[in-house]
Amino acid sequence: LFGLGVPVPMFEHRRHGKTMTHTAEERGASLRGAILTKHATAYAPAALAERKRRWRPAVSVVVPFCNAHRWWSETLQSLQHQSFDDFEIVLVNDASDAPESLALLAELRRGSDVRVVDRAERGDLAAASNTGVRAARGEFVFFLDPDDLLAPTALEQLTWLLLSSPEVGFVYPGVVHFGDQTGTCL
């Protein structure tokens, strides 16, 4: 719930010297100064930006994953080369059982920027995507298959379109198909 301030005086308040508010402001300024001095590196702009990105990224890239180990390194590389870095990767393990996929998932859990969310039972693409959306922390969600590749500026451009067009509910890019079938879909 949010409060709403009414910018019209509706009551009178008699003040007697310094109030609790004035004292709190003075103590707060002193405390803020001490904290900033003691933990200067934690409050550096780059450190704040990184914590913000981890806590509430602009975009959550949701990737359903079921035994997709053979394509994942290319997909991850295309994400790592984005011109925009305010995003998280939520990899939804849809009950993978291939040994190579299980080894990859274990490696990702040990120390990467990819957050792995497990589903106990295999579902369909929609079920895995919905699991990813529930785990997402971003303001926007981008769905990506584990064998897709993104152009280096894709997330930046799509996010910019959403931010600069508040009347728009979603955006989507054109697609170039590769592999067994080729073509372009705009």
Side-chain angles (χ1 to χ4, degrees), residues 72-111:
W72 177 245
S73 65
E74 287 181 276
T75 301
L76 180 59
Q77 190 173 37
S78 80
L79 286 165
Q80 291 170 333
H81 288 102
Q82 289 298 298
S83 58
F84 177 77
D85 66 354
D86 195 4
F87 68 94
E88 69 171 342
I89 303 168
V90 180
L91 188 72
V92 181
N93 172 28
D94 196 24
S96 292
D97 55 8
E100 299 91 338
S101 286
L102 296 174
L104 173 63
L105 292 165
E107 180 183 327
L108 291 172
R109 284 187 190 96
R110 275 194 299 275

PDB file of all heavy atoms in Angstrom, residues 72-111:
ATOM      1  N   TRP A  72      23.674 -24.535 -25.237  1.00  0.00           N
ATOM      2  CA  TRP A  72      23.671 -23.515 -24.197  1.00  0.00           C
ATOM      3  C   TRP A  72      24.868 -22.570 -24.239  1.00  0.00           C
ATOM      4  O   TRP A  72      24.731 -21.366 -24.000  1.00  0.00           O
ATOM      5  CB  TRP A  72      23.546 -24.148 -22.811  1.00  0.00           C
ATOM      6  CG  TRP A  72      23.623 -23.126 -21.735  1.00  0.00           C
ATOM      7  CD1 TRP A  72      24.584 -22.995 -20.782  1.00  0.00           C
ATOM      8  CD2 TRP A  72      22.710 -22.041 -21.521  1.00  0.00           C
ATOM      9  NE1 TRP A  72      24.335 -21.912 -19.993  1.00  0.00           N
ATOM     10  CE2 TRP A  72      23.177 -21.302 -20.428  1.00  0.00           C
ATOM     11  CE3 TRP A  72      21.551 -21.617 -22.157  1.00  0.00           C
ATOM     12  CZ2 TRP A  72      22.534 -20.169 -19.957  1.00  0.00           C
ATOM     13  CZ3 TRP A  72      20.898 -20.488 -21.679  1.00  0.00           C
ATOM     14  CH2 TRP A  72      21.389 -19.787 -20.595  1.00  0.00           C
ATOM     15  N   SER A  73      26.065 -23.058 -24.529  1.00  0.00           N
ATOM     16  CA  SER A  73      27.239 -22.174 -24.496  1.00  0.00           C
ATOM     17  C   SER A  73      27.112 -21.048 -25.516  1.00  0.00           C
ATOM     18  O   SER A  73      27.483 -19.900 -25.229  1.00  0.00           O
ATOM     19  CB  SER A  73      28.535 -22.957 -24.706  1.00  0.00           C
ATOM     20  OG  SER A  73      28.567 -23.511 -25.999  1.00  0.00           O
ATOM     21  N   GLU A  74      26.564 -21.320 -26.694  1.00  0.00           N
ATOM     22  CA  GLU A  74      26.366 -20.260 -27.693  1.00  0.00           C
ATOM     23  C   GLU A  74      25.323 -19.252 -27.234  1.00  0.00           C
ATOM     24  O   GLU A  74      25.484 -18.040 -27.403  1.00  0.00           O
ATOM     25  CB  GLU A  74      25.921 -20.843 -29.030  1.00  0.00           C
ATOM     26  CG  GLU A  74      26.996 -21.562 -29.803  1.00  0.00           C
ATOM     27  CD  GLU A  74      26.436 -22.083 -31.118  1.00  0.00           C
ATOM     28  OE1 GLU A  74      25.846 -23.185 -31.109  1.00  0.00           O
ATOM     29  OE2 GLU A  74      26.567 -21.363 -32.125  1.00  0.00           O
ATOM     30  N   THR A  75      24.237 -19.760 -26.658  1.00  0.00           N
ATOM     31  CA  THR A  75      23.180 -18.870 -26.171  1.00  0.00           C
ATOM     32  C   THR A  75      23.710 -17.990 -25.047  1.00  0.00           C
ATOM     33  O   THR A  75      23.489 -16.776 -25.036  1.00  0.00           O
ATOM     34  CB  THR A  75      21.971 -19.693 -25.704  1.00  0.00           C
ATOM     35  OG1 THR A  75      21.505 -20.470 -26.809  1.00  0.00           O
ATOM     36  CG2 THR A  75      20.858 -18.801 -25.195  1.00  0.00           C
ATOM     37  N   LEU A  76      24.411 -18.585 -24.100  1.00  0.00           N
ATOM     38  CA  LEU A  76      24.982 -17.830 -22.993  1.00  0.00           C
ATOM     39  C   LEU A  76      25.966 -16.778 -23.509  1.00  0.00           C
ATOM     40  O   LEU A  76      25.968 -15.639 -23.042  1.00  0.00           O
ATOM     41  CB  LEU A  76      25.673 -18.760 -22.000  1.00  0.00           C
ATOM     42  CG  LEU A  76      26.313 -18.090 -20.789  1.00  0.00           C
ATOM     43  CD1 LEU A  76      25.275 -17.313 -19.985  1.00  0.00           C
ATOM     44  CD2 LEU A  76      27.001 -19.129 -19.918  1.00  0.00           C
ATOM     45  N   GLN A  77      26.776 -17.142 -24.463  1.00  0.00           N
ATOM     46  CA  GLN A  77      27.740 -16.193 -25.027  1.00  0.00           C
ATOM     47  C   GLN A  77      27.016 -14.997 -25.656  1.00  0.00           C
ATOM     48  O   GLN A  77      27.437 -13.854 -25.490  1.00  0.00           O
ATOM     49  CB  GLN A  77      28.634 -16.885 -26.053  1.00  0.00           C
ATOM     50  CG  GLN A  77      29.794 -16.047 -26.492  1.00  0.00           C
ATOM     51  CD  GLN A  77      30.733 -16.829 -27.378  1.00  0.00           C
ATOM     52  OE1 GLN A  77      30.311 -17.645 -28.196  1.00  0.00           O
ATOM     53  NE2 GLN A  77      32.014 -16.605 -27.211  1.00  0.00           N
ATOM     54  N   SER A  78      25.901 -15.246 -26.335  1.00  0.00           N
ATOM     55  CA  SER A  78      25.168 -14.123 -26.933  1.00  0.00           C
ATOM     56  C   SER A  78      24.569 -13.223 -25.849  1.00  0.00           C
ATOM     57  O   SER A  78      24.458 -12.013 -26.033  1.00  0.00           O
ATOM     58  CB  SER A  78      24.093 -14.616 -27.903  1.00  0.00           C
ATOM     59  OG  SER A  78      22.920 -15.041 -27.257  1.00  0.00           O
ATOM     60  N   LEU A  79      24.219 -13.793 -24.705  1.00  0.00           N
ATOM     61  CA  LEU A  79      23.729 -12.986 -23.586  1.00  0.00           C
ATOM     62  C   LEU A  79      24.871 -12.194 -22.939  1.00  0.00           C
ATOM     63  O   LEU A  79      24.702 -11.034 -22.565  1.00  0.00           O
ATOM     64  CB  LEU A  79      23.042 -13.874 -22.547  1.00  0.00           C
ATOM     65  CG  LEU A  79      21.666 -14.385 -22.942  1.00  0.00           C
ATOM     66  CD1 LEU A  79      21.232 -15.534 -22.040  1.00  0.00           C
ATOM     67  CD2 LEU A  79      20.651 -13.255 -22.903  1.00  0.00           C
ATOM     68  N   GLN A  80      26.020 -12.821 -22.819  1.00  0.00           N
ATOM     69  CA  GLN A  80      27.161 -12.148 -22.196  1.00  0.00           C
ATOM     70  C   GLN A  80      27.703 -11.001 -23.043  1.00  0.00           C
ATOM     71  O   GLN A  80      28.387 -10.120 -22.526  1.00  0.00           O
ATOM     72  CB  GLN A  80      28.279 -13.156 -21.914  1.00  0.00           C
ATOM     73  CG  GLN A  80      27.912 -14.129 -20.815  1.00  0.00           C
ATOM     74  CD  GLN A  80      28.899 -15.278 -20.692  1.00  0.00           C
ATOM     75  OE1 GLN A  80      29.559 -15.667 -21.658  1.00  0.00           O
ATOM     76  NE2 GLN A  80      28.986 -15.831 -19.494  1.00  0.00           N
ATOM     77  N   HIS A  81      27.399 -10.996 -24.312  1.00  0.00           N
ATOM     78  CA  HIS A  81      27.876  -9.935 -25.206  1.00  0.00           C
ATOM     79  C   HIS A  81      26.837  -8.844 -25.443  1.00  0.00           C
ATOM     80  O   HIS A  81      26.963  -8.053 -26.381  1.00  0.00           O
ATOM     81  CB  HIS A  81      28.346 -10.534 -26.533  1.00  0.00           C
ATOM     82  CG  HIS A  81      29.633 -11.270 -26.397  1.00  0.00           C
ATOM     83  ND1 HIS A  81      29.699 -12.637 -26.339  1.00  0.00           N
ATOM     84  CD2 HIS A  81      30.903 -10.823 -26.269  1.00  0.00           C
ATOM     85  CE1 HIS A  81      30.950 -13.008 -26.190  1.00  0.00           C
ATOM     86  NE2 HIS A  81      31.704 -11.931 -26.140  1.00  0.00           N
ATOM     87  N   GLN A  82      25.828  -8.770 -24.603  1.00  0.00           N
ATOM     88  CA  GLN A  82      24.816  -7.725 -24.748  1.00  0.00           C
ATOM     89  C   GLN A  82      25.409  -6.352 -24.394  1.00  0.00           C
ATOM     90  O   GLN A  82      26.235  -6.241 -23.493  1.00  0.00           O
ATOM     91  CB  GLN A  82      23.607  -8.008 -23.845  1.00  0.00           C
ATOM     92  CG  GLN A  82      22.766  -9.177 -24.294  1.00  0.00           C
ATOM     93  CD  GLN A  82      22.170  -8.935 -25.666  1.00  0.00           C
ATOM     94  OE1 GLN A  82      21.398  -8.009 -25.866  1.00  0.00           O
ATOM     95  NE2 GLN A  82      22.539  -9.777 -26.617  1.00  0.00           N
ATOM     96  N   SER A  83      24.976  -5.333 -25.098  1.00  0.00           N
ATOM     97  CA  SER A  83      25.429  -3.968 -24.823  1.00  0.00           C
ATOM     98  C   SER A  83      24.767  -3.419 -23.561  1.00  0.00           C
ATOM     99  O   SER A  83      25.170  -2.386 -23.038  1.00  0.00           O
ATOM    100  CB  SER A  83      25.106  -3.055 -26.008  1.00  0.00           C
ATOM    101  OG  SER A  83      23.709  -3.074 -26.276  1.00  0.00           O
ATOM    102  N   PHE A  84      23.776  -4.108 -23.059  1.00  0.00           N
ATOM    103  CA  PHE A  84      22.973  -3.720 -21.897  1.00  0.00           C
ATOM    104  C   PHE A  84      23.210  -4.776 -20.833  1.00  0.00           C
ATOM    105  O   PHE A  84      23.122  -5.967 -21.115  1.00  0.00           O
ATOM    106  CB  PHE A  84      21.511  -3.712 -22.362  1.00  0.00           C
ATOM    107  CG  PHE A  84      20.492  -3.419 -21.319  1.00  0.00           C
ATOM    108  CD1 PHE A  84      20.287  -2.124 -20.889  1.00  0.00           C
ATOM    109  CD2 PHE A  84      19.697  -4.426 -20.800  1.00  0.00           C
ATOM    110  CE1 PHE A  84      19.314  -1.840 -19.958  1.00  0.00           C
ATOM    111  CE2 PHE A  84      18.724  -4.150 -19.871  1.00  0.00           C
ATOM    112  CZ  PHE A  84      18.539  -2.850 -19.445  1.00  0.00           C
ATOM    113  N   ASP A  85      23.556  -4.367 -19.610  1.00  0.00           N
ATOM    114  CA  ASP A  85      23.879  -5.385 -18.606  1.00  0.00           C
ATOM    115  C   ASP A  85      22.922  -5.423 -17.424  1.00  0.00           C
ATOM    116  O   ASP A  85      23.154  -6.150 -16.461  1.00  0.00           O
ATOM    117  CB  ASP A  85      25.314  -5.223 -18.114  1.00  0.00           C
ATOM    118  CG  ASP A  85      25.527  -3.933 -17.340  1.00  0.00           C
ATOM    119  OD1 ASP A  85      24.602  -3.107 -17.265  1.00  0.00           O
ATOM    120  OD2 ASP A  85      26.638  -3.741 -16.817  1.00  0.00           O
ATOM    121  N   ASP A  86      21.817  -4.704 -17.486  1.00  0.00           N
ATOM    122  CA  ASP A  86      20.879  -4.687 -16.366  1.00  0.00           C
ATOM    123  C   ASP A  86      19.831  -5.788 -16.548  1.00  0.00           C
ATOM    124  O   ASP A  86      18.652  -5.524 -16.706  1.00  0.00           O
ATOM    125  CB  ASP A  86      20.221  -3.308 -16.255  1.00  0.00           C
ATOM    126  CG  ASP A  86      19.514  -3.103 -14.922  1.00  0.00           C
ATOM    127  OD1 ASP A  86      19.602  -4.000 -14.059  1.00  0.00           O
ATOM    128  OD2 ASP A  86      18.875  -2.053 -14.753  1.00  0.00           O
ATOM    129  N   PHE A  87      20.305  -7.032 -16.545  1.00  0.00           N
ATOM    130  CA  PHE A  87      19.402  -8.169 -16.699  1.00  0.00           C
ATOM    131  C   PHE A  87      19.918  -9.359 -15.913  1.00  0.00           C
ATOM    132  O   PHE A  87      21.095  -9.436 -15.575  1.00  0.00           O
ATOM    133  CB  PHE A  87      19.200  -8.540 -18.175  1.00  0.00           C
ATOM    134  CG  PHE A  87      20.413  -9.112 -18.857  1.00  0.00           C
ATOM    135  CD1 PHE A  87      20.607 -10.488 -18.929  1.00  0.00           C
ATOM    136  CD2 PHE A  87      21.354  -8.283 -19.454  1.00  0.00           C
ATOM    137  CE1 PHE A  87      21.715 -11.021 -19.575  1.00  0.00           C
ATOM    138  CE2 PHE A  87      22.458  -8.811 -20.104  1.00  0.00           C
ATOM    139  CZ  PHE A  87      22.640 -10.176 -20.163  1.00  0.00           C
ATOM    140  N   GLU A  88      19.000 -10.259 -15.611  1.00  0.00           N
ATOM    141  CA  GLU A  88      19.346 -11.522 -14.989  1.00  0.00           C
ATOM    142  C   GLU A  88      18.960 -12.637 -15.951  1.00  0.00           C
ATOM    143  O   GLU A  88      18.106 -12.456 -16.810  1.00  0.00           O
ATOM    144  CB  GLU A  88      18.606 -11.705 -13.659  1.00  0.00           C
ATOM    145  CG  GLU A  88      17.112 -11.913 -13.821  1.00  0.00           C
ATOM    146  CD  GLU A  88      16.412 -12.315 -12.532  1.00  0.00           C
ATOM    147  OE1 GLU A  88      17.075 -12.772 -11.585  1.00  0.00           O
ATOM    148  OE2 GLU A  88      15.167 -12.194 -12.494  1.00  0.00           O
ATOM    149  N   ILE A  89      19.588 -13.785 -15.785  1.00  0.00           N
ATOM    150  CA  ILE A  89      19.247 -14.965 -16.578  1.00  0.00           C
ATOM    151  C   ILE A  89      18.638 -15.993 -15.632  1.00  0.00           C
ATOM    152  O   ILE A  89      19.269 -16.398 -14.651  1.00  0.00           O
ATOM    153  CB  ILE A  89      20.493 -15.562 -17.262  1.00  0.00           C
ATOM    154  CG1 ILE A  89      21.179 -14.521 -18.148  1.00  0.00           C
ATOM    155  CG2 ILE A  89      20.106 -16.804 -18.075  1.00  0.00           C
ATOM    156  CD1 ILE A  89      22.562 -14.939 -18.619  1.00  0.00           C
ATOM    157  N   VAL A  90      17.409 -16.394 -15.926  1.00  0.00           N
ATOM    158  CA  VAL A  90      16.713 -17.411 -15.144  1.00  0.00           C
ATOM    159  C   VAL A  90      16.575 -18.639 -16.038  1.00  0.00           C
ATOM    160  O   VAL A  90      15.786 -18.650 -16.977  1.00  0.00           O
ATOM    161  CB  VAL A  90      15.322 -16.922 -14.678  1.00  0.00           C
ATOM    162  CG1 VAL A  90      14.629 -17.999 -13.868  1.00  0.00           C
ATOM    163  CG2 VAL A  90      15.437 -15.627 -13.894  1.00  0.00           C
ATOM    164  N   LEU A  91      17.375 -19.647 -15.765  1.00  0.00           N
ATOM    165  CA  LEU A  91      17.355 -20.886 -16.540  1.00  0.00           C
ATOM    166  C   LEU A  91      16.444 -21.871 -15.821  1.00  0.00           C
ATOM    167  O   LEU A  91      16.712 -22.246 -14.670  1.00  0.00           O
ATOM    168  CB  LEU A  91      18.769 -21.450 -16.654  1.00  0.00           C
ATOM    169  CG  LEU A  91      18.946 -22.630 -17.592  1.00  0.00           C
ATOM    170  CD1 LEU A  91      18.843 -22.168 -19.038  1.00  0.00           C
ATOM    171  CD2 LEU A  91      20.294 -23.279 -17.359  1.00  0.00           C
ATOM    172  N   VAL A  92      15.367 -22.267 -16.475  1.00  0.00           N
ATOM    173  CA  VAL A  92      14.396 -23.166 -15.846  1.00  0.00           C
ATOM    174  C   VAL A  92      14.697 -24.595 -16.287  1.00  0.00           C
ATOM    175  O   VAL A  92      14.450 -24.966 -17.438  1.00  0.00           O
ATOM    176  CB  VAL A  92      12.952 -22.782 -16.213  1.00  0.00           C
ATOM    177  CG1 VAL A  92      11.965 -23.712 -15.522  1.00  0.00           C
ATOM    178  CG2 VAL A  92      12.674 -21.331 -15.834  1.00  0.00           C
ATOM    179  N   ASN A  93      15.243 -25.377 -15.377  1.00  0.00           N
ATOM    180  CA  ASN A  93      15.530 -26.780 -15.657  1.00  0.00           C
ATOM    181  C   ASN A  93      14.222 -27.567 -15.605  1.00  0.00           C
ATOM    182  O   ASN A  93      13.680 -27.821 -14.540  1.00  0.00           O
ATOM    183  CB  ASN A  93      16.533 -27.322 -14.634  1.00  0.00           C
ATOM    184  CG  ASN A  93      16.715 -28.814 -14.776  1.00  0.00           C
ATOM    185  OD1 ASN A  93      16.544 -29.375 -15.851  1.00  0.00           O
ATOM    186  ND2 ASN A  93      17.055 -29.460 -13.680  1.00  0.00           N
ATOM    187  N   ASP A  94      13.745 -27.946 -16.781  1.00  0.00           N
ATOM    188  CA  ASP A  94      12.474 -28.660 -16.884  1.00  0.00           C
ATOM    189  C   ASP A  94      12.726 -30.163 -16.795  1.00  0.00           C
ATOM    190  O   ASP A  94      12.521 -30.909 -17.750  1.00  0.00           O
ATOM    191  CB  ASP A  94      11.776 -28.279 -18.189  1.00  0.00           C
ATOM    192  CG  ASP A  94      10.311 -28.669 -18.201  1.00  0.00           C
ATOM    193  OD1 ASP A  94       9.717 -28.801 -17.116  1.00  0.00           O
ATOM    194  OD2 ASP A  94       9.765 -28.840 -19.305  1.00  0.00           O
ATOM    195  N   ALA A  95      13.222 -30.591 -15.630  1.00  0.00           N
ATOM    196  CA  ALA A  95      13.483 -32.003 -15.324  1.00  0.00           C
ATOM    197  C   ALA A  95      14.429 -32.653 -16.322  1.00  0.00           C
ATOM    198  O   ALA A  95      14.197 -33.758 -16.802  1.00  0.00           O
ATOM    199  CB  ALA A  95      12.172 -32.781 -15.218  1.00  0.00           C
ATOM    200  N   SER A  96      15.534 -31.963 -16.620  1.00  0.00           N
ATOM    201  CA  SER A  96      16.553 -32.549 -17.499  1.00  0.00           C
ATOM    202  C   SER A  96      17.051 -33.854 -16.896  1.00  0.00           C
ATOM    203  O   SER A  96      17.169 -33.990 -15.682  1.00  0.00           O
ATOM    204  CB  SER A  96      17.738 -31.593 -17.657  1.00  0.00           C
ATOM    205  OG  SER A  96      17.364 -30.447 -18.369  1.00  0.00           O
ATOM    206  N   ASP A  97      17.376 -34.818 -17.779  1.00  0.00           N
ATOM    207  CA  ASP A  97      17.910 -36.085 -17.284  1.00  0.00           C
ATOM    208  C   ASP A  97      19.147 -36.554 -18.045  1.00  0.00           C
ATOM    209  O   ASP A  97      19.748 -37.549 -17.690  1.00  0.00           O
ATOM    210  CB  ASP A  97      16.833 -37.175 -17.284  1.00  0.00           C
ATOM    211  CG  ASP A  97      16.178 -37.360 -18.640  1.00  0.00           C
ATOM    212  OD1 ASP A  97      16.639 -36.762 -19.640  1.00  0.00           O
ATOM    213  OD2 ASP A  97      15.193 -38.121 -18.710  1.00  0.00           O
ATOM    214  N   ALA A  98      19.560 -35.826 -19.073  1.00  0.00           N
ATOM    215  CA  ALA A  98      20.777 -36.188 -19.809  1.00  0.00           C
ATOM    216  C   ALA A  98      21.990 -35.877 -18.931  1.00  0.00           C
ATOM    217  O   ALA A  98      22.065 -34.792 -18.338  1.00  0.00           O
ATOM    218  CB  ALA A  98      20.862 -35.411 -21.114  1.00  0.00           C
ATOM    219  N   PRO A  99      22.928 -36.797 -18.812  1.00  0.00           N
ATOM    220  CA  PRO A  99      24.094 -36.574 -17.954  1.00  0.00           C
ATOM    221  C   PRO A  99      24.850 -35.281 -18.271  1.00  0.00           C
ATOM    222  O   PRO A  99      25.288 -34.576 -17.364  1.00  0.00           O
ATOM    223  CB  PRO A  99      24.975 -37.802 -18.202  1.00  0.00           C
ATOM    224  CG  PRO A  99      24.021 -38.862 -18.666  1.00  0.00           C
ATOM    225  CD  PRO A  99      22.939 -38.137 -19.419  1.00  0.00           C
ATOM    226  N   GLU A 100      24.972 -34.956 -19.572  1.00  0.00           N
ATOM    227  CA  GLU A 100      25.685 -33.727 -19.954  1.00  0.00           C
ATOM    228  C   GLU A 100      24.941 -32.486 -19.464  1.00  0.00           C
ATOM    229  O   GLU A 100      25.552 -31.518 -19.015  1.00  0.00           O
ATOM    230  CB  GLU A 100      25.871 -33.645 -21.473  1.00  0.00           C
ATOM    231  CG  GLU A 100      26.676 -34.776 -22.058  1.00  0.00           C
ATOM    232  CD  GLU A 100      25.801 -35.960 -22.508  1.00  0.00           C
ATOM    233  OE1 GLU A 100      24.650 -36.110 -22.021  1.00  0.00           O
ATOM    234  OE2 GLU A 100      26.277 -36.731 -23.352  1.00  0.00           O
ATOM    235  N   SER A 101      23.623 -32.508 -19.552  1.00  0.00           N
ATOM    236  CA  SER A 101      22.826 -31.374 -19.076  1.00  0.00           C
ATOM    237  C   SER A 101      22.906 -31.257 -17.565  1.00  0.00           C
ATOM    238  O   SER A 101      23.023 -30.151 -17.018  1.00  0.00           O
ATOM    239  CB  SER A 101      21.363 -31.511 -19.508  1.00  0.00           C
ATOM    240  OG  SER A 101      21.229 -31.243 -20.880  1.00  0.00           O
ATOM    241  N   LEU A 102      22.842 -32.388 -16.865  1.00  0.00           N
ATOM    242  CA  LEU A 102      22.938 -32.365 -15.407  1.00  0.00           C
ATOM    243  C   LEU A 102      24.295 -31.827 -14.956  1.00  0.00           C
ATOM    244  O   LEU A 102      24.376 -31.053 -13.989  1.00  0.00           O
ATOM    245  CB  LEU A 102      22.680 -33.757 -14.832  1.00  0.00           C
ATOM    246  CG  LEU A 102      21.261 -34.297 -15.074  1.00  0.00           C
ATOM    247  CD1 LEU A 102      21.152 -35.745 -14.593  1.00  0.00           C
ATOM    248  CD2 LEU A 102      20.228 -33.402 -14.407  1.00  0.00           C
ATOM    249  N   ALA A 103      25.370 -32.197 -15.660  1.00  0.00           N
ATOM    250  CA  ALA A 103      26.702 -31.684 -15.323  1.00  0.00           C
ATOM    251  C   ALA A 103      26.767 -30.170 -15.574  1.00  0.00           C
ATOM    252  O   ALA A 103      27.317 -29.430 -14.749  1.00  0.00           O
ATOM    253  CB  ALA A 103      27.763 -32.402 -16.149  1.00  0.00           C
ATOM    254  N   LEU A 104      26.196 -29.711 -16.670  1.00  0.00           N
ATOM    255  CA  LEU A 104      26.176 -28.280 -16.971  1.00  0.00           C
ATOM    256  C   LEU A 104      25.384 -27.511 -15.915  1.00  0.00           C
ATOM    257  O   LEU A 104      25.826 -26.471 -15.412  1.00  0.00           O
ATOM    258  CB  LEU A 104      25.572 -28.028 -18.357  1.00  0.00           C
ATOM    259  CG  LEU A 104      25.327 -26.574 -18.728  1.00  0.00           C
ATOM    260  CD1 LEU A 104      26.629 -25.794 -18.792  1.00  0.00           C
ATOM    261  CD2 LEU A 104      24.577 -26.481 -20.044  1.00  0.00           C
ATOM    262  N   LEU A 105      24.228 -28.022 -15.539  1.00  0.00           N
ATOM    263  CA  LEU A 105      23.407 -27.365 -14.525  1.00  0.00           C
ATOM    264  C   LEU A 105      24.133 -27.294 -13.181  1.00  0.00           C
ATOM    265  O   LEU A 105      24.085 -26.272 -12.493  1.00  0.00           O
ATOM    266  CB  LEU A 105      22.067 -28.087 -14.380  1.00  0.00           C
ATOM    267  CG  LEU A 105      21.135 -27.965 -15.589  1.00  0.00           C
ATOM    268  CD1 LEU A 105      20.011 -28.991 -15.496  1.00  0.00           C
ATOM    269  CD2 LEU A 105      20.592 -26.557 -15.713  1.00  0.00           C
ATOM    270  N   ALA A 106      24.819 -28.364 -12.818  1.00  0.00           N
ATOM    271  CA  ALA A 106      25.594 -28.368 -11.566  1.00  0.00           C
ATOM    272  C   ALA A 106      26.693 -27.306 -11.614  1.00  0.00           C
ATOM    273  O   ALA A 106      26.918 -26.587 -10.636  1.00  0.00           O
ATOM    274  CB  ALA A 106      26.201 -29.751 -11.323  1.00  0.00           C
ATOM    275  N   GLU A 107      27.352 -27.178 -12.750  1.00  0.00           N
ATOM    276  CA  GLU A 107      28.395 -26.157 -12.919  1.00  0.00           C
ATOM    277  C   GLU A 107      27.801 -24.751 -12.811  1.00  0.00           C
ATOM    278  O   GLU A 107      28.375 -23.879 -12.162  1.00  0.00           O
ATOM    279  CB  GLU A 107      29.069 -26.343 -14.279  1.00  0.00           C
ATOM    280  CG  GLU A 107      30.168 -25.357 -14.570  1.00  0.00           C
ATOM    281  CD  GLU A 107      30.744 -25.560 -15.958  1.00  0.00           C
ATOM    282  OE1 GLU A 107      30.802 -26.718 -16.435  1.00  0.00           O
ATOM    283  OE2 GLU A 107      31.134 -24.561 -16.566  1.00  0.00           O
ATOM    284  N   LEU A 108      26.657 -24.532 -13.420  1.00  0.00           N
ATOM    285  CA  LEU A 108      26.017 -23.213 -13.363  1.00  0.00           C
ATOM    286  C   LEU A 108      25.608 -22.857 -11.939  1.00  0.00           C
ATOM    287  O   LEU A 108      25.717 -21.703 -11.526  1.00  0.00           O
ATOM    288  CB  LEU A 108      24.792 -23.168 -14.287  1.00  0.00           C
ATOM    289  CG  LEU A 108      25.084 -23.210 -15.783  1.00  0.00           C
ATOM    290  CD1 LEU A 108      23.792 -23.352 -16.575  1.00  0.00           C
ATOM    291  CD2 LEU A 108      25.863 -21.976 -16.215  1.00  0.00           C
ATOM    292  N   ARG A 109      25.161 -23.838 -11.184  1.00  0.00           N
ATOM    293  CA  ARG A 109      24.752 -23.583  -9.798  1.00  0.00           C
ATOM    294  C   ARG A 109      25.936 -23.212  -8.907  1.00  0.00           C
ATOM    295  O   ARG A 109      25.779 -22.501  -7.925  1.00  0.00           O
ATOM    296  CB  ARG A 109      24.077 -24.821  -9.211  1.00  0.00           C
ATOM    297  CG  ARG A 109      22.676 -25.039  -9.700  1.00  0.00           C
ATOM    298  CD  ARG A 109      22.025 -26.198  -8.935  1.00  0.00           C
ATOM    299  NE  ARG A 109      20.789 -26.553  -9.566  1.00  0.00           N
ATOM    300  CZ  ARG A 109      20.646 -27.532 -10.457  1.00  0.00           C
ATOM    301  NH1 ARG A 109      21.672 -28.280 -10.789  1.00  0.00           N
ATOM    302  NH2 ARG A 109      19.468 -27.783 -10.986  1.00  0.00           N
ATOM    303  N   ARG A 110      27.118 -23.705  -9.242  1.00  0.00           N
ATOM    304  CA  ARG A 110      28.297 -23.476  -8.402  1.00  0.00           C
ATOM    305  C   ARG A 110      28.839 -22.061  -8.489  1.00  0.00           C
ATOM    306  O   ARG A 110      29.526 -21.616  -7.591  1.00  0.00           O
ATOM    307  CB  ARG A 110      29.414 -24.449  -8.768  1.00  0.00           C
ATOM    308  CG  ARG A 110      29.294 -25.783  -8.082  1.00  0.00           C
ATOM    309  CD  ARG A 110      30.569 -26.588  -8.186  1.00  0.00           C
ATOM    310  NE  ARG A 110      30.954 -26.887  -9.549  1.00  0.00           N
ATOM    311  CZ  ARG A 110      30.507 -27.919 -10.265  1.00  0.00           C
ATOM    312  NH1 ARG A 110      29.653 -28.754  -9.725  1.00  0.00           N
ATOM    313  NH2 ARG A 110      30.918 -28.118 -11.493  1.00  0.00           N
ATOM    314  N   GLY A 111      28.615 -21.368  -9.542  1.00  0.00           N
ATOM    315  CA  GLY A 111      29.227 -20.043  -9.562  1.00  0.00           C
ATOM    316  C   GLY A 111      29.117 -19.334 -10.880  1.00  0.00           C
ATOM    317  O   GLY A 111      30.122 -19.085 -11.527  1.00  0.00           O
TER     318      GLY A 111
END
